[in-house]
Amino acid sequence: VVVTFVYSTCEDTCPSQVQTIRGALDDLGEDVPVLAISVDPENDTPRRAKRFLAEQRMTGRASFVLGTRRPPGMTTPDLGLPDQDGRLVRMRELRGSPVVVTFVYATCDDTCPAQVQSIRGALDDLGRDVPVVAISVDPENDTPTRAKRFLAEQRMTGRARFVLGTRRDLAPVWRAYGIQPQRGALDHTAFAVLVDKEGTQRIGWPYSVLTVEGLTADLRRLLAE
């Protein structure tokens, strides 16, 4: 897989990078997957991404990976709910650093572990930790013991906090982030949200397009602000 980092309105380095990749594929005589990951999610739209790939003659040969922009001014609820160790999690106490917020349940064996592993990989690549808040979407079954076991299995003990509560406690949190919780056979919304240093929701990553490289790039940018 070839991974590169671009933005759709770039006129110099990004087209040059992509043309080098296209030339390498032509010389190779076969295609391999190419991921062009947005470094400007506020301005990279699906239409602009398609146009960029078309201009570089890479339509069908590359995927332009977009983190979704959150609507302007979307703040984060303060939570005030316990984590797996019984300590209250308050978002206001995390101001001054970007925060990764994700939505999981402790007995999940597919999307939740995959999301958390992408987050862990991004922290490793970043070379430092930022707060990670994993919010329960299955409050009836997520217990402190199960939450601790989930974090341990994902090798995220001490690097993430698993927020627990009743359905009534968590419902306003889910609404604030636009999340559908787990309901029987209906799967929850699999999403990671990056919150900036001021407590504003900035970038959303649906599970289907979440990558370690893209998440790392967005965290670097938020840290530099």
Side-chain angles (χ1 to χ4, degrees), residues 66-111:
L66 302 171
T68 59
R69 293 169 294 167
R70 306 294 279 178
M74 283 189 74
T75 57
T76 56
D78 194 40
L79 299 180
L81 295 171
D83 67 8
Q84 72 280 356
D85 296 315
R87 296 178 297 134
L88 289 185
V89 180
R90 297 190 186 278
M91 292 296 288
R92 66 173 179 263
E93 294 176 356
L94 305 179
R95 299 274 173 88
S97 171
V99 180
V100 183
V101 179
T102 191
F103 299 85
V104 300
Y105 63 102
T107 55
C108 176
D109 58 9
D110 42 36
T111 57

Side-chain angles (χ1 to χ4, degrees), residues 41-42 67-74 103 175-179 191-194 200-205:
E42 279 84 7
T68 59
R69 293 169 294 167
R70 306 294 279 178
M74 283 189 74
F103 299 85
R175 284 196 299 271
Y177 287 96
I179 298 298
F191 221 81
V193 176
L194 300 187
T200 301
Q201 298 181 43
R202 290 283 294 279
I203 302 162
W205 280 95

Side-chain angles (χ1 to χ4, degrees), residues 83-85 104-108 136 138-154 157 162 164:
D83 67 8
Q84 72 280 356
D85 296 315
V104 300
Y105 63 102
T107 55
C108 176
S136 170
D138 186 16
E140 288 80 13
N141 295 301
D142 284 342
T143 64
T145 298
R146 286 176 173 170
K148 289 177 185 178
R149 184 169 63 240
F150 177 87
L151 293 178
E153 289 171 349
Q154 305 311 315
T157 300
F162 198 132
L164 304 169

Side-chain angles (χ1 to χ4, degrees), residues 19-20 41-42 45-46 50 63-64 93 104 114 124 128 134 154-155 161 183 187 208:
Q19 287 306 301
T20 298
E42 279 84 7
T45 63
K50 289 177 184 177
S63 298
F64 200 126
E93 294 176 356
V104 300
D124 290 346
R128 58 167 290 182
Q154 305 311 315
R155 291 180 287 168
R161 301 175 72 180
R183 287 185 183 275
D187 285 339
S208 59

